[in-house]
Amino acid sequence: MVLRLSNRACVLSGSARLKSTLSTYFDEMGKAGIILKSASTGIFENLALEDWIPDRVDLQNRSMLLLWRNSPVVVIGRHQNPWQECNLPLMRRLGIPLARRRSGGGTVFHDFGNINMTFFTSKKKYDRHRNLKVVTSALKALRPDLDVAATDRFDILLNGHYKISGTAAKLGRTSAYHHCTLLCSVDRSILSSVLSNTSEVIKSNTTPSVPSPVKNLLDVDPTLDSNTIMDAIASQYSNEFGFDSPVITVDPTHEGLMPGIHKMAQDLQTWEWIYGRTPKFSVCSSIVVDDVTIKLDMDIKNGAVGQCAMEIPENWLPSEMVNEFTSTLNGSNYCPNETTVLVAAFMRTVSMTADVAEKIHRLCAGVVSVM
Protein backbone atom coordinates (compact mmCIF):
# COMPACT_ATOMS: atom_id res chain seq x y z
CA MET A 1 0.00 0.00 0.00
CA VAL A 2 1.29 3.47 -0.85
CA LEU A 3 0.02 6.70 0.67
CA ARG A 4 0.82 10.08 -0.86
CA LEU A 5 1.01 12.97 1.55
CA SER A 6 -0.05 16.15 -0.17
CA ASN A 7 -1.17 19.54 1.06
CA ARG A 8 -4.77 18.32 1.41
CA ALA A 9 -3.71 15.46 3.65
CA CYS A 10 -3.04 17.89 6.45
CA VAL A 11 -5.68 20.58 6.02
CA LEU A 12 -8.85 20.72 8.09
CA SER A 13 -12.03 20.60 6.00
CA GLY A 14 -13.91 23.89 6.05
CA SER A 15 -10.82 25.99 6.73
CA ALA A 16 -7.41 26.63 5.28
CA ARG A 17 -5.77 26.25 8.66
CA LEU A 18 -2.99 23.67 8.75
CA LYS A 19 -3.98 20.76 10.96
CA SER A 20 -0.60 19.19 11.47
CA THR A 21 2.93 18.88 10.22
CA LEU A 22 4.41 15.60 9.11
CA SER A 23 5.75 14.89 12.59
CA THR A 24 2.33 15.25 14.26
CA TYR A 25 0.81 13.15 11.47
CA PHE A 26 3.22 10.39 12.46
CA ASP A 27 2.20 10.79 16.11
CA GLU A 28 -1.45 10.47 15.12
CA MET A 29 -0.67 7.27 13.17
CA GLY A 30 0.61 5.74 16.38
CA LYS A 31 2.88 3.30 14.57
CA ALA A 32 6.23 2.13 15.93
CA GLY A 33 7.62 1.71 12.42
CA ILE A 34 7.21 3.98 9.39
CA ILE A 35 8.48 3.58 5.84
CA LEU A 36 8.93 6.70 3.71
CA LYS A 37 9.78 7.15 0.05
CA SER A 38 10.93 10.54 -1.17
CA ALA A 39 9.15 12.01 -4.17
CA SER A 40 12.21 14.16 -4.90
CA THR A 41 15.30 13.25 -6.89
CA GLY A 42 17.17 16.37 -5.77
CA ILE A 43 20.14 15.68 -3.52
CA PHE A 44 19.79 18.82 -1.40
CA GLU A 45 16.08 18.22 -0.74
CA ASN A 46 16.75 14.60 0.22
CA LEU A 47 19.70 15.43 2.47
CA ALA A 48 17.53 18.11 4.09
CA LEU A 49 14.83 15.49 4.71
CA GLU A 50 17.47 13.35 6.44
CA ASP A 51 18.26 16.32 8.70
CA TRP A 52 14.63 17.27 9.28
CA ILE A 53 13.44 13.85 10.47
CA PRO A 54 15.73 13.43 13.53
CA ASP A 55 15.37 17.15 14.29
CA ARG A 56 11.55 17.23 14.24
CA VAL A 57 10.30 13.64 14.67
CA ASP A 58 10.25 11.76 17.99
CA LEU A 59 12.41 8.67 17.41
CA GLN A 60 12.59 7.41 20.98
CA ASN A 61 9.79 4.92 20.46
CA ARG A 62 9.69 4.87 16.70
CA SER A 63 11.92 3.60 13.89
CA MET A 64 11.81 4.83 10.31
CA LEU A 65 13.16 3.81 6.93
CA LEU A 66 13.56 6.37 4.15
CA LEU A 67 14.04 5.22 0.55
CA TRP A 68 15.33 7.78 -1.94
CA ARG A 69 17.10 8.21 -5.27
CA ASN A 70 18.91 11.14 -6.85
CA SER A 71 19.69 12.52 -10.25
CA PRO A 72 23.47 12.38 -10.97
CA VAL A 73 25.53 13.90 -8.15
CA VAL A 74 28.76 13.34 -6.22
CA VAL A 75 28.36 13.31 -2.43
CA ILE A 76 31.32 13.69 -0.09
CA GLY A 77 31.50 12.93 3.63
CA ARG A 78 31.29 15.66 6.25
CA HIS A 79 35.07 15.91 6.79
CA GLN A 80 36.35 15.25 3.28
CA ASN A 81 38.26 17.35 0.76
CA PRO A 82 36.42 17.60 -2.58
CA TRP A 83 39.56 18.72 -4.46
CA GLN A 84 41.16 15.47 -3.29
CA GLU A 85 38.20 13.15 -3.66
CA CYS A 86 36.72 13.84 -7.09
CA ASN A 87 37.37 15.19 -10.54
CA LEU A 88 35.87 18.66 -10.12
CA PRO A 89 36.80 19.97 -13.62
CA LEU A 90 35.07 16.98 -15.24
CA MET A 91 32.02 17.39 -13.00
CA ARG A 92 31.74 21.04 -14.04
CA ARG A 93 31.89 20.07 -17.71
CA LEU A 94 29.25 17.35 -17.25
CA GLY A 95 27.01 19.54 -15.08
CA ILE A 96 27.18 17.09 -12.16
CA PRO A 97 26.77 18.92 -8.82
CA LEU A 98 28.71 18.30 -5.62
CA ALA A 99 27.07 17.89 -2.22
CA ARG A 100 28.49 17.48 1.28
CA ARG A 101 26.42 15.39 3.66
CA ARG A 102 26.37 15.75 7.44
CA SER A 103 27.49 12.18 8.10
CA GLY A 104 31.06 10.90 7.83
CA GLY A 105 32.27 8.22 5.45
CA GLY A 106 33.61 8.31 1.94
CA THR A 107 32.70 9.85 -1.40
CA VAL A 108 29.99 8.30 -3.56
CA PHE A 109 28.34 8.87 -6.91
CA HIS A 110 24.54 8.74 -7.13
CA ASP A 111 22.27 8.49 -10.14
CA PHE A 112 18.85 6.96 -10.75
CA GLY A 113 20.44 3.50 -10.77
CA ASN A 114 21.43 3.82 -7.11
CA ILE A 115 19.09 3.30 -4.15
CA ASN A 116 19.68 5.19 -0.92
CA MET A 117 18.31 3.89 2.36
CA THR A 118 18.31 5.76 5.66
CA PHE A 119 17.47 3.93 8.89
CA PHE A 120 16.35 6.26 11.70
CA THR A 121 16.21 5.08 15.32
CA SER A 122 16.84 6.22 18.84
CA LYS A 123 20.53 6.17 19.71
CA LYS A 124 19.97 3.13 21.94
CA LYS A 125 18.50 1.10 19.08
CA TYR A 126 21.16 2.08 16.52
CA ASP A 127 22.23 -1.20 14.85
CA ARG A 128 24.00 -1.15 11.50
CA HIS A 129 24.37 -4.93 11.33
CA ARG A 130 20.64 -5.42 11.61
CA ASN A 131 19.93 -2.72 9.03
CA LEU A 132 22.25 -4.34 6.50
CA LYS A 133 20.62 -7.67 7.24
CA VAL A 134 17.35 -6.11 6.01
CA VAL A 135 19.04 -5.29 2.70
CA THR A 136 20.80 -8.62 2.15
CA SER A 137 17.70 -10.59 3.21
CA ALA A 138 15.53 -8.58 0.81
CA LEU A 139 17.91 -9.33 -2.06
CA LYS A 140 18.03 -13.02 -1.20
CA ALA A 141 14.24 -13.14 -0.98
CA LEU A 142 14.18 -11.92 -4.57
CA ARG A 143 17.02 -14.17 -5.74
CA PRO A 144 17.90 -16.97 -3.27
CA ASP A 145 21.10 -17.83 -5.15
CA LEU A 146 22.46 -14.27 -4.99
CA ASP A 147 25.79 -14.15 -3.14
CA VAL A 148 25.54 -10.97 -1.06
CA ALA A 149 26.94 -10.42 2.42
CA ALA A 150 27.72 -7.54 4.79
CA THR A 151 31.31 -7.01 5.91
CA ASP A 152 32.88 -5.84 9.16
CA ARG A 153 33.30 -2.43 7.51
CA PHE A 154 29.51 -2.33 6.99
CA ASP A 155 29.79 -2.62 3.22
CA ILE A 156 27.83 -5.17 1.21
CA LEU A 157 29.79 -7.33 -1.22
CA LEU A 158 28.55 -9.23 -4.23
CA ASN A 159 30.25 -12.59 -4.86
CA GLY A 160 32.65 -11.81 -2.01
CA HIS A 161 34.50 -9.20 -4.05
CA TYR A 162 32.40 -6.45 -5.66
CA LYS A 163 31.15 -3.61 -3.48
CA ILE A 164 27.47 -2.86 -4.08
CA SER A 165 26.80 -0.87 -0.91
CA GLY A 166 28.67 1.54 1.37
CA THR A 167 27.68 2.90 4.76
CA ALA A 168 27.81 6.19 6.68
CA ALA A 169 26.10 7.34 9.85
CA LYS A 170 25.32 10.29 12.09
CA LEU A 171 24.77 9.90 15.82
CA GLY A 172 23.00 12.64 17.73
CA ARG A 173 22.43 13.04 21.45
CA THR A 174 19.31 10.87 21.55
CA SER A 175 18.74 9.72 17.96
CA ALA A 176 20.80 8.32 15.11
CA TYR A 177 20.62 7.48 11.47
CA HIS A 178 22.52 5.02 9.32
CA HIS A 179 22.37 5.37 5.56
CA CYS A 180 23.71 3.19 2.79
CA THR A 181 23.76 2.97 -0.97
CA LEU A 182 22.86 0.08 -3.25
CA LEU A 183 24.17 -0.15 -6.81
CA CYS A 184 21.44 -1.44 -9.09
CA SER A 185 22.16 0.04 -12.52
CA VAL A 186 24.53 2.96 -11.94
CA ASP A 187 26.46 4.38 -14.90
CA ARG A 188 29.80 2.89 -13.91
CA SER A 189 31.79 4.75 -16.57
CA ILE A 190 30.71 8.10 -15.11
CA LEU A 191 31.15 6.79 -11.55
CA SER A 192 34.76 5.83 -12.17
CA SER A 193 35.48 9.06 -14.06
CA VAL A 194 34.11 11.54 -11.53
CA LEU A 195 35.55 9.67 -8.53
CA SER A 196 39.04 9.44 -10.02
CA ASN A 197 41.50 12.09 -8.93
CA THR A 198 45.15 11.44 -9.72
CA SER A 199 46.23 14.92 -8.68
CA GLU A 200 49.18 14.96 -6.31
CA VAL A 201 49.18 18.71 -5.67
CA ILE A 202 46.95 18.50 -2.56
CA LYS A 203 48.61 17.99 0.81
CA SER A 204 46.04 17.20 3.48
CA ASN A 205 45.56 15.27 6.70
CA THR A 206 42.02 14.22 5.78
CA THR A 207 41.38 10.50 5.36
CA PRO A 208 40.80 9.77 1.66
CA SER A 209 38.13 7.39 0.39
CA VAL A 210 39.24 3.81 -0.26
CA PRO A 211 38.52 2.79 -3.88
CA SER A 212 36.83 -0.59 -4.31
CA PRO A 213 35.82 -2.70 -7.32
CA VAL A 214 32.09 -2.26 -7.90
CA LYS A 215 29.35 -4.02 -9.79
CA ASN A 216 25.66 -3.44 -10.47
CA LEU A 217 23.02 -5.93 -9.38
CA LEU A 218 21.58 -5.58 -12.87
CA ASP A 219 24.84 -7.07 -14.21
CA VAL A 220 24.05 -10.40 -12.57
CA ASP A 221 20.27 -10.34 -12.99
CA PRO A 222 18.53 -8.02 -15.50
CA THR A 223 15.23 -8.34 -13.60
CA LEU A 224 16.62 -6.66 -10.46
CA ASP A 225 15.42 -3.13 -11.20
CA SER A 226 15.35 -0.35 -8.61
CA ASN A 227 11.58 -0.36 -7.99
CA THR A 228 11.48 -4.13 -7.43
CA ILE A 229 14.36 -3.91 -4.98
CA MET A 230 12.87 -0.95 -3.06
CA ASP A 231 9.59 -2.84 -2.66
CA ALA A 232 11.48 -5.87 -1.37
CA ILE A 233 13.49 -3.78 1.11
CA ALA A 234 10.34 -2.11 2.43
CA SER A 235 8.68 -5.50 2.91
CA GLN A 236 11.75 -7.00 4.61
CA TYR A 237 12.07 -3.99 6.92
CA SER A 238 8.52 -4.54 8.16
CA ASN A 239 9.16 -8.27 8.60
CA GLU A 240 12.48 -7.82 10.41
CA PHE A 241 11.15 -5.32 12.94
CA GLY A 242 7.59 -6.61 13.20
CA PHE A 243 5.99 -3.51 11.70
CA ASP A 244 2.85 -3.15 9.62
CA SER A 245 3.27 0.12 7.79
CA PRO A 246 2.38 1.30 4.30
CA VAL A 247 5.02 3.03 2.19
CA ILE A 248 4.33 6.76 2.53
CA THR A 249 5.54 8.98 -0.32
CA VAL A 250 6.59 12.42 0.92
CA ASP A 251 7.66 15.55 -0.93
CA PRO A 252 10.64 17.16 0.87
CA THR A 253 10.03 20.45 -0.95
CA HIS A 254 6.74 20.89 0.97
CA GLU A 255 7.41 23.55 3.60
CA GLY A 256 3.87 23.27 4.97
CA LEU A 257 4.32 19.62 5.91
CA MET A 258 7.91 20.05 7.03
CA PRO A 259 8.45 23.54 8.49
CA GLY A 260 12.06 24.67 8.18
CA ILE A 261 13.06 22.19 5.49
CA HIS A 262 13.59 24.88 2.83
CA LYS A 263 16.22 26.57 5.02
CA MET A 264 17.91 23.21 5.63
CA ALA A 265 18.10 22.54 1.88
CA GLN A 266 19.41 26.05 1.18
CA ASP A 267 22.13 25.72 3.83
CA LEU A 268 23.35 22.50 2.20
CA GLN A 269 23.76 24.29 -1.16
CA THR A 270 25.99 27.12 0.03
CA TRP A 271 29.61 27.37 -1.05
CA GLU A 272 30.50 27.79 2.63
CA TRP A 273 29.09 24.34 3.46
CA ILE A 274 30.11 22.37 0.38
CA TYR A 275 33.64 23.77 0.02
CA GLY A 276 34.23 26.00 3.03
CA ARG A 277 33.90 23.14 5.51
CA THR A 278 36.92 21.39 4.00
CA PRO A 279 39.68 20.85 6.60
CA LYS A 280 42.73 23.00 5.94
CA PHE A 281 45.11 21.82 3.23
CA SER A 282 47.93 23.07 1.05
CA VAL A 283 48.51 23.13 -2.68
CA CYS A 284 52.02 22.48 -3.94
CA SER A 285 52.22 22.46 -7.71
CA SER A 286 54.41 23.24 -10.67
CA ILE A 287 52.61 24.76 -13.62
CA VAL A 288 54.13 25.43 -17.01
CA VAL A 289 53.28 28.67 -18.82
CA ASP A 290 55.07 29.63 -22.05
CA ASP A 291 57.62 26.86 -21.38
CA VAL A 292 58.37 28.52 -18.04
CA THR A 293 58.03 26.34 -14.94
CA ILE A 294 56.29 28.18 -12.12
CA LYS A 295 56.14 26.87 -8.58
CA LEU A 296 52.83 27.52 -6.86
CA ASP A 297 52.22 27.15 -3.11
CA MET A 298 48.93 27.94 -1.41
CA ASP A 299 47.55 27.33 2.07
CA ILE A 300 43.79 26.85 2.09
CA LYS A 301 41.68 27.25 5.22
CA ASN A 302 37.87 27.17 5.27
CA GLY A 303 38.03 26.96 1.48
CA ALA A 304 39.84 30.31 1.21
CA VAL A 305 43.39 31.13 0.15
CA GLY A 306 45.24 32.07 3.31
CA GLN A 307 48.65 32.41 1.72
CA CYS A 308 49.71 32.32 -1.91
CA ALA A 309 53.32 32.26 -3.11
CA MET A 310 54.84 31.82 -6.57
CA GLU A 311 58.37 31.34 -7.79
CA ILE A 312 58.58 32.95 -11.24
CA PRO A 313 61.73 33.91 -13.16
CA GLU A 314 62.24 37.70 -12.98
CA ASN A 315 62.91 37.86 -16.70
CA TRP A 316 59.47 36.41 -17.45
CA LEU A 317 57.37 38.48 -15.01
CA PRO A 318 58.66 41.25 -12.72
CA SER A 319 58.62 40.39 -9.02
CA GLU A 320 56.47 43.41 -8.12
CA MET A 321 53.81 42.20 -10.57
CA VAL A 322 54.04 38.69 -9.10
CA ASN A 323 53.55 40.10 -5.60
CA GLU A 324 50.50 42.10 -6.67
CA PHE A 325 49.05 39.02 -8.40
CA THR A 326 49.44 36.79 -5.35
CA SER A 327 48.09 39.51 -3.03
CA THR A 328 44.98 39.59 -5.19
CA LEU A 329 44.37 35.89 -4.49
CA ASN A 330 45.01 36.04 -0.74
CA GLY A 331 41.73 35.83 1.16
CA SER A 332 39.72 34.74 -1.89
CA ASN A 333 37.79 31.49 -2.17
CA TYR A 334 39.76 28.63 -3.73
CA CYS A 335 37.39 28.66 -6.66
CA PRO A 336 38.07 28.93 -10.41
CA ASN A 337 35.21 31.34 -11.06
CA GLU A 338 36.16 33.72 -8.27
CA THR A 339 39.85 33.57 -9.19
CA THR A 340 39.05 34.42 -12.82
CA VAL A 341 36.88 37.37 -11.80
CA LEU A 342 39.47 38.71 -9.35
CA VAL A 343 42.31 38.47 -11.85
CA ALA A 344 40.20 40.18 -14.53
CA ALA A 345 39.55 43.06 -12.10
CA PHE A 346 43.26 43.15 -11.23
CA MET A 347 44.17 43.46 -14.92
CA ARG A 348 41.73 46.34 -15.36
CA THR A 349 43.01 48.35 -12.40
CA VAL A 350 46.78 47.79 -12.57
CA SER A 351 48.83 49.47 -15.26
CA MET A 352 50.69 46.92 -17.41
CA THR A 353 51.92 46.40 -20.93
CA ALA A 354 50.03 44.23 -23.40
CA ASP A 355 52.77 41.58 -23.13
CA VAL A 356 52.50 41.44 -19.33
CA ALA A 357 48.70 41.36 -19.56
CA GLU A 358 48.92 38.31 -21.84
CA LYS A 359 51.26 36.59 -19.39
CA ILE A 360 48.96 37.37 -16.44
CA HIS A 361 46.03 35.94 -18.39
CA ARG A 362 47.90 32.69 -19.09
CA LEU A 363 49.19 32.55 -15.51
CA CYS A 364 45.62 32.80 -14.25
CA ALA A 365 44.61 29.90 -16.49
CA GLY A 366 47.45 27.84 -15.03
CA VAL A 367 46.37 28.58 -11.45
CA VAL A 368 42.73 27.80 -12.25
CA SER A 369 43.79 24.46 -13.79
CA VAL A 370 44.76 23.09 -10.34
CA MET A 371 41.39 24.04 -8.84
Side-chain angles (χ1 to χ4, degrees), residues 38 40-47 50 67-75 97 99 108-116 181 186 252:
S38 175
S40 174
T41 56
I43 181 61
F44 300 108
E45 290 78 13
N46 285 326
L47 289 178
E50 278 194 321
L67 300 169
W68 47 293
R69 291 192 294 168
N70 292 316
S71 54
V73 62
V74 172
V75 187
V108 291
F109 170 72
H110 294 176
D111 66 10
F112 295 120
N114 172 71
I115 298 172
N116 299 291
T181 56
V186 170

Side-chain angles (χ1 to χ4, degrees), residues 179-206:
H179 49 195
C180 55
T181 56
L182 188 62
L183 302 182
C184 301
S185 57
V186 170
D187 189 325
R188 285 193 291 150
S189 64
I190 294 183
L191 181 152
S192 61
S193 297
V194 297
L195 297 188
S196 65
N197 188 335
T198 58
S199 172
E200 297 181 355
V201 305
I202 302 292
K203 307 298 180 185
S204 171
N205 291 326
T206 57

Side-chain angles (χ1 to χ4, degrees), residues 29-70:
M29 286 178 68
K31 289 185 177 291
I34 295 173
I35 303 172
L36 302 178
K37 183 178 180 181
S38 175
S40 174
T41 56
I43 181 61
F44 300 108
E45 290 78 13
N46 285 326
L47 289 178
L49 180 56
E50 278 194 321
D51 291 341
W52 190 90
I53 288 173
D55 188 56
R56 303 297 182 93
V57 177
D58 182 4
L59 295 169
Q60 297 314 297
N61 297 297
R62 177 186 293 122
S63 297
M64 299 178 67
L65 168 64
L66 171 65
L67 300 169
W68 47 293
R69 291 192 294 168
N70 292 316

Side-chain angles (χ1 to χ4, degrees), residues 23 73 85 133 142 158 161 254 298 351:
S23 58
V73 62
E85 289 294 330
K133 180 185 173 186
L142 289 172
L158 174 67
H161 179 68
H254 199 309
M298 286 190 277
S351 177

Side-chain angles (χ1 to χ4, degrees), residues 99-121:
R100 183 187 296 273
R101 61 179 183 267
R102 297 196 186 277
S103 63
T107 299
V108 291
F109 170 72
H110 294 176
D111 66 10
F112 295 120
N114 172 71
I115 298 172
N116 299 291
M117 297 152 281
T118 310
F119 298 85
F120 299 91
T121 61

